Each structure stands twice: as structure tokens, then as C-alpha cells.
Amino acid sequence: MQPLPKLHVAVADSRSWRFGYRHAATLVYCGSIFLAGLSVNILGPAGPTLTKELKASFTIIGSVFIFEGIGGICGSSLAGHLLSKYRGHHIVGVACLLLFVMVGGVPQCSSGLQVMGLYMGIGGCLGLLNASCNMMT
């Protein structure tokens, strides 16, 4: 009795696909953090304009950075809890959308308190975005 011939089945190599996906995902996460940093750091050069438009002092505009930091701490502390409940890609997408909506809302503010509230939310989105991207890569 002769042995049966061996069948050769062509199977796509999944290792190369996973390798490319992992690097592409890392680039997208890094890009989102980079763009978030660019959109938020506009406050420094826009400080004199905000001071003039809001008729506020430099002290009030400077305290916006404090509120951004408080929001960042709150956002990063929520990241672990949210990542255990939801998919990470969805969290990053929602955080990016909220971030850019809030940054777009800054020119519509009419008081320093509104800017502080928005920047607390912006800091929260940044903290959530940063922690989520770092945990998923």
C-alpha cells in the first residue's frame, strides 16, 4: 500500500499582517497625541488675544493651565476603568472628537470662567487620550 500524497495548502501568513497592523496602529496613536498637543498648545501664543477679547488679566489666562492639568489628572485616572469596559479604539476616537470640539469652542467663550471650564475638559480628553494610547501600544 502506498502512502497518500501530502496536500500542500497555501495559507496566508498572518504574522506579516499582524506586524504591519501593529506598526500602523502605533503610528496612528502617536499621530493622534501629536495633533492633540498641537491643538492645545495654541493657548500660549493666543494668550494676549484671549486677554484682550475676554477683558481678563494675565493671571486668569494663566490659571487656565492649572485647570488643564486638573482635567488631565482626572482623564488619565479614568482611562483604566474605561478601557476595562469599552474598546480602546472607541475611547481614542471619542476623546479626539471631544477634544477638537472643545478646542473649537474656545473662540466662542465670553468669559475667563468659560475658558477655564473648556480647558478642564480639554485636559481631561488629553489625559484620557494619552493614557489610552499608551496602554494600547
Side-chain angles (χ1 to χ4, degrees):
M1 183 176 245
Q2 291 182 346
L4 294 173
K6 291 190 178 185
L7 295 176
H8 296 285
V9 179
V11 178
D13 187 15
S14 64
R15 286 179 289 168
S16 64
W17 180 81
R18 277 187 268 154
F19 180 78
Y21 175 78
R22 188 174 67 216
H23 288 290
T26 302
L27 285 175
V28 169
Y29 296 146
C30 291
S32 65
I33 291 174
F34 175 74
L35 290 174
L38 286 178
S39 67
V40 170
N41 289 331
I42 193 68
L43 184 63
T49 305
L50 271 175
T51 304
K52 186 172 57 174
E53 291 294 321
L54 298 177
K55 297 173 184 64
S57 67
F58 279 109
T59 308
I60 291 174
I61 299 302
S63 64
V64 169
F65 291 108
I66 295 170
F67 281 91
E68 182 184 346
I70 291 170
I73 291 170
C74 294
S76 1
S77 61
L78 282 175
H81 178 69
L82 289 175
L83 282 170
S84 67
K85 287 187 161 205
Y86 305 105
R87 296 191 63 173
H89 304 300
H90 296 206
I91 294 172
V92 170
V94 169
C96 282
L97 285 174
L98 284 174
L99 174 72
F100 294 122
V101 166
M102 287 186 216
V103 168
V106 172
Q108 279 73 34
C109 290
S110 59
S111 73
L113 191 60
Q114 290 173 343
V115 175
M116 286 180 205
L118 268 180
Y119 263 86
M120 189 167 181
I122 288 169
C125 288
L126 278 177
L128 180 63
L129 185 64
N130 192 4
S132 299
C133 288
N134 285 333
M135 284 184 189
M136 289 192 308
T137 54

